[in-house]
Amino acid sequence: MSTVLYITAHPNETEASYSLAVGKQFLEAYTAANPNDDIVHLDLFKMDIPRIDADVFSAWEKLGSGTAFDQLTSAEQAKVARLGELVDQFVEADKYVFVNPTWNFSYPPVLKAYIDSICVAGKTFKYTEKGPVGLLDNKKAIHIQASGSVLSPGSDYADFEIGHRHLDVIMKFIGVPSFEAIFVEGMAAAADQARQIKENAIQQAWKLAKTF
């Protein structure tokens, strides 16, 4: 049995989101193919995800110099403990499904905050004489991203897109060897084709779900 983190970064409900609608179909297909797997939904807009701020930096510095955890301020304790929970949950899972819209060529800030929480030395990567090495080399990930314009690799505006490309870099950095993508794109550029674009993405989702 595998544990799948279904990580969504959209403030709207499924009915008002292309990415979430395709993500829902992916989950249905995946569950049908893997009925015993555990699906954990992380709705990032409804979660406590501490930002890396002055409290966090202060806590890390104190802990690194030997200060006991209970000697940290209450704010430092709360933020560091929560960040630890998030990265531990990520490490313990087997598969990841990231779902988000494209905002200004990237993803919503809450997803960046989550990524910051799981990129932790000693947990998801380590430093070596040859540089950083990812530790999650037995994991799999899929990214479902929607955009009004066509931004996928090979398109005219692919160089503008920095959401999927950044997530791809992060997956490589932490060692995830399998990272696939479903782009739900072009609905604004070709509004009359929006329904077909969505259906095509759902078909791709069902296909990938069976082998994920």
Side-chain angles (χ1 to χ4, degrees):
M1 183 180 79
S2 296
T3 297
V4 181
L5 294 186
Y6 181 66
I7 305 160
T8 61
H10 202 302
N12 291 339
E13 298 300 321
T14 301
E15 295 74 20
S17 165
Y18 283 98
S19 59
L20 293 180
V22 174
K24 179 181 178 181
Q25 293 296 315
F26 177 90
L27 276 190
E28 289 184 5
Y30 181 86
T31 301
N34 305 273
N36 296 320
D37 282 6
D38 185 22
I39 311 294
V40 180
H41 183 191
L42 303 183
D43 185 341
L44 301 187
F45 272 92
K46 297 179 180 179
M47 288 173 53
D48 170 26
I49 307 174
R51 286 6 179 212
I52 308 300
D53 60 9
D55 286 330
V56 173
F57 279 124
S58 174
W60 285 344
E61 183 177 356
K62 291 177 183 178
L63 292 171
S65 63
T67 300
F69 179 80
D70 61 7
Q71 296 301 307
L72 302 178
T73 68
S74 58
E76 291 170 347
Q77 289 184 27
K79 293 177 182 181
V80 169
R82 178 57 178 157
L83 289 171
E85 291 174 353
L86 291 171
V87 69
D88 286 346
Q89 180 187 50
F90 193 84
V91 170
E92 290 168 4
D94 303 290
K95 303 176 183 180
Y96 316 107
V97 181
F98 296 91
V99 184
N100 64 271
T102 300
W103 289 1
N104 300 315
F105 303 108
S106 187
Y107 39 60
V110 67
L111 181 51
K112 177 58 165 62
Y114 180 74
I115 290 171
D116 288 342
S117 78
I118 58 92
C119 289
V120 179
K123 296 278 190 175
T124 54
F125 72 95
K126 65 180 179 180
Y127 291 109
T128 72
E129 294 180 352
K130 297 182 179 180
V133 175
L135 299 176
L136 306 186
D137 57 2
N138 59 341
K139 314 291 186 179
K140 301 176 71 174
I142 279 183
H143 185 204
I144 300 173
Q145 177 170 278
S147 60
S149 300
V150 177
L151 303 173
S152 58
S155 68
D156 291 341
Y157 292 94
D159 288 345
F160 285 70
E161 196 281 327
I162 55 177
H164 174 73
R165 288 194 293 158
H166 181 251
L167 195 55
D168 182 51
V169 168
I170 293 298
M171 292 299 104
K172 288 183 173 69
F173 178 65
I174 62 178
V176 176
S178 176
F179 184 52
E180 299 185 80
I182 299 173
F183 296 100
V184 194
E185 56 181 358
M187 292 78 68
D192 60 324
Q193 300 176 36
R195 182 174 180 179
Q196 188 59 53
I197 290 170
K198 179 180 175 180
E199 290 302 317
N200 291 343
I202 287 174
Q203 291 178 19
Q204 185 182 1
W206 274 79
K207 182 178 179 180
L208 287 178
K210 295 177 181 179
T211 58
F212 182 55

